[in-house]
Structures are given as C-alpha cells and as structure tokens.
Amino acid sequence: MILKEKITAKLTRSLTKAFAITCFTAFSGLMDTGAVSQNPDQPRQLASKSKERKSGGENVASPAGARAYIGREIMWTKPVDIKSRDLFYGIGGRKGAPDPSTDFTFVKHSESGTQKKVTVKDARGHEWTVKFGSEARPETVSTRIVWAVGYHTDQDYFVRQARIVSKKNIVAHDVRFERRDDGFEEDGNWSWKENPFVGTRELEGLKILMALLKNWDVKSDNNEIARRVVGGRPGSRIYYVSDLGASLGQTGTWLNRIPLFSDLPATYGFAPSKAKGDPEAFAHEKFIKGVEDGKVIFYFRRARGRSMLKDVSVGDARWMGGLLGQLSNKQLADAVRAGGYEGDEAALYVRVLRERINQLQNLKSDIRTVYLKK
C-alpha cells in the first residue's frame, strides 16, 4: 500500500506539473501565431531582441546559387561542395574553432532560453556564448547536418573542457561554444506558418530536417533572421533555425496522447533525459508512418511538430533525401563526433540517420508505405 501511494503521489505531481506547462505552452503558441506580420515580405519581429553587431567568420551562406532567394531574403543556398564539406568543424571551419587550451574571460550571464549560458571572450578577442546542459551535444551535431545540405546555422562547437576566468574561476565540462561575432547581426524572428518562403520546396526541406533530427522545440523564438554585414552595411536577410538543442532524442511521451497535454514538451514525463541527445530513444522512435494522397506522414509526438509537418509532399521529401544521400557515412560520423559522441552511441546515430535518409529517398507517392520502427 505504501508503494502504491508513493506511485500515485508521483503521478499526481507529474500530471499537475504537466497541466501547468500545457496551459503555458498553449498561451505561448497563441502569442507565436498572433505576432506575425500579415505582409510576408516584411516579417515583424516576434521577440524583442537587442541587435548584436558581428564580424568575421567563413563558409557563410550567400545569395549565389540560392534556390530560395526572394529579393534580399534567403533561406537556402545550393551546396555545390556537399560531398566534401567538413562536418566535424561545420560552417565556421577549423580556423573558427575555439581553443580550449587557452583561458576564456567571463563577460556576462545570458538570460535567453531555458539552458544556463554565459558570454565569454577568448585570447583572440572573439566573443562566444557558452551553453551548459543536455543541449550542448545534440545541438552541435544538428547544426552540422542542417548546414551540410545548404541551410545557414550558427557557428557551434562542442568543447569537452574550458577554463573560464572571472572572480570565481570555472572549469566548464561538455559545453557548446557559439561564435557571437560571426559576420551577422540579429534581425528578429520568423514563424513556420508565415514567412516569405511558404509553399517553397526549401522551406519544406527545412521542416523535413526537423523531423529527421527529432527537433521538437519548433517555436518561433528559435527561428531567427540574420542580416549579413557587408562592408559595414547590413546585407541580405537569412532565415534559419537558431536553436537546435532539443534534438536527437524522442519528441514526446505517452502524455502527448492525452488531448489536454498534446503539446507538452518532451522533457515532461518520467524520463526527461530521453528528449535531447539520447541515441537509444532516437533510434526507438519511428520516423515515417506512411504516405497518404502524396503527402508524407511523419511520426511526431508533440502537437506543434505534427502541425508544422502537415502536407509535406513526397516530392519535397525525396528532394531532401537526395541531398542528404550525397553525404558519406564518414561525413555523418564526423557530424556525430563533433557533438562528442563516440563508440556504440556514435555508430547507432550514424546507422539510424542513414536508414532514415534511405527512407526519404525511396518514398513512393502512388502507394501507401508504412515504417513501424524507424
């Protein structure tokens, strides 16, 4: 009886907490939807953010060869060098990586997001945002995959250990370093439902990547517009996903089956660690449920993810599969290693990613196809 009472009490606390967060996320969802400009050519800022001037960087997205290039708005650039891209170092390259053998100077605490972050400066004078916690590894890996097929990302690096000097020195372990002065300045946020690229193959491709990576935190606050600085003047506006930390795990729990909790974040349940960077949970959750009327049905537990992924065509999924299919297993392994995964964990990620890329490539629009476990 005592054990039964303890289990009941734990379940009650979990459901109460779930109800509170559901109310909050539902309200946030309404705010996200209602804050977007009705004119898609002039997206309104969804979040109040200070613009940060940035400079330097390499391998950045550019208008040349872009398929999704509307005026001065860019979402995707054709990756002509896809088979040779370095997925260990990513968009910033080896030269842009932080040097963990030197000290970093503490600048300030960051108030954004749910994860602990601080701003630091390295010996070369470059500023970095250091993210602590469970998102450091999956976010780094995800940026590599997204950048590999032509989308812009932040310059992220996973660092095993770094010494941060302040009044009280800190030795940080397993953290993500994001370059702040990377040649861009922030210019607001964008919504999946209202932006200049609605209806384009390139926007659908980005959605497919979110499904492939199991990124369940697809809110507008995590989508940024970066304005490239050219000769001291702001240039083209690049639309991208700036926070990919809630990836490479499971997209929800059994609680999402309950209508009231359908949009509950994947971290709410009895195993929150499975929501981010968990190879076993990632492999266990299904990827594609099937095809109906030429549309791909992706497996996604959280409601906002399912809503975002509605009406993705087989043609768009095969297009993205074709791009991803050009990546070698070595490149996929490099991307996974960039996030600090090794051994069996790394091998599992590479195997599952390859299987799911193959699924995208082999989709047929004229028959119903069902995948139960991948």
Side-chain angles (χ1 to χ4, degrees), residues 105-281:
T105 304
F106 174 84
V107 177
K108 64 179 180 178
H109 289 282
S110 173
E111 303 298 330
S112 65
T114 59
Q115 304 291 299
K116 177 184 175 182
K117 299 175 193 170
V118 297
T119 300
V120 301
K121 183 174 289 188
D122 65 19
R124 295 175 292 181
H126 298 314
E127 284 198 353
W128 302 86
T129 297
V130 181
K131 178 188 279 189
F132 297 77
S134 60
E135 294 186 3
R137 296 206 296 170
E139 181 159 36
T140 303
V141 177
S142 297
T143 62
R144 302 302 190 262
I145 303 297
V146 172
W147 170 71
V149 292
Y151 293 92
H152 181 70
T153 65
D154 288 318
Q155 294 184 28
D156 289 352
Y157 298 90
F158 175 75
V159 176
R160 287 286 187 189
Q161 181 174 305
R163 187 170 184 266
I164 300 173
V165 178
S166 63
K167 291 181 179 179
K168 184 178 181 181
N169 294 341
I170 303 169
V171 177
H173 296 275
D174 297 340
V175 291
R176 183 227 63 190
F177 272 62
E178 178 185 298
R179 179 84 174 268
R180 290 172 60 84
D181 51 343
D182 62 353
F184 296 87
E185 62 180 22
E186 296 176 7
D187 198 20
N189 300 82
W190 59 276
S191 161
W192 290 101
K193 293 183 178 180
E194 296 186 43
N195 62 77
F197 305 95
V198 170
T200 66
R201 182 177 67 178
E202 291 72 23
L203 177 61
E204 297 303 289
L206 188 57
K207 293 179 183 179
I208 293 162
L209 286 172
M210 298 304 101
L212 174 70
L213 298 170
K214 297 291 182 181
N215 178 26
W216 50 265
D217 197 12
V218 289
K219 59 188 177 184
S220 298
D221 282 351
N222 291 338
N223 299 339
E224 286 191 4
I225 303 170
R227 190 179 287 274
R228 190 178 185 186
V229 179
V230 181
R233 301 173 118 189
S236 303
R237 289 154 54 94
I238 300 175
Y239 290 65
Y240 76 109
V241 179
S242 59
D243 191 333
L244 292 162
S247 300
L248 297 179
Q250 64 184 25
T251 60
T253 68
W254 61 272
L255 287 169
N256 295 109
R257 299 176 184 174
I258 304 171
L260 183 63
F261 304 138
S262 63
D263 201 42
L264 199 68
T267 47
Y268 286 83
F270 295 108
S273 63
K274 292 184 177 182
K276 303 173 182 178
D278 187 305
E280 292 289 345

Side-chain angles (χ1 to χ4, degrees), residues 79-122:
V80 294
D81 59 343
I82 186 171
K83 294 182 180 180
S84 61
R85 287 199 164 188
D86 184 347
L87 299 198
F88 184 77
Y89 287 103
I91 190 172
R94 180 193 291 266
K95 291 182 180 179
D99 182 1
S101 67
T102 62
D103 289 347
F104 297 86
T105 304
F106 174 84
V107 177
K108 64 179 180 178
H109 289 282
S110 173
E111 303 298 330
S112 65
T114 59
Q115 304 291 299
K116 177 184 175 182
K117 299 175 193 170
V118 297
T119 300
V120 301
K121 183 174 289 188
D122 65 19

Side-chain angles (χ1 to χ4, degrees), residues 16-32:
T16 301
K17 189 175 182 180
F19 176 74
I21 193 66
T22 298
C23 293
F24 175 76
T25 53
F27 178 74
S28 298
L30 290 173
M31 293 298 291
D32 279 351

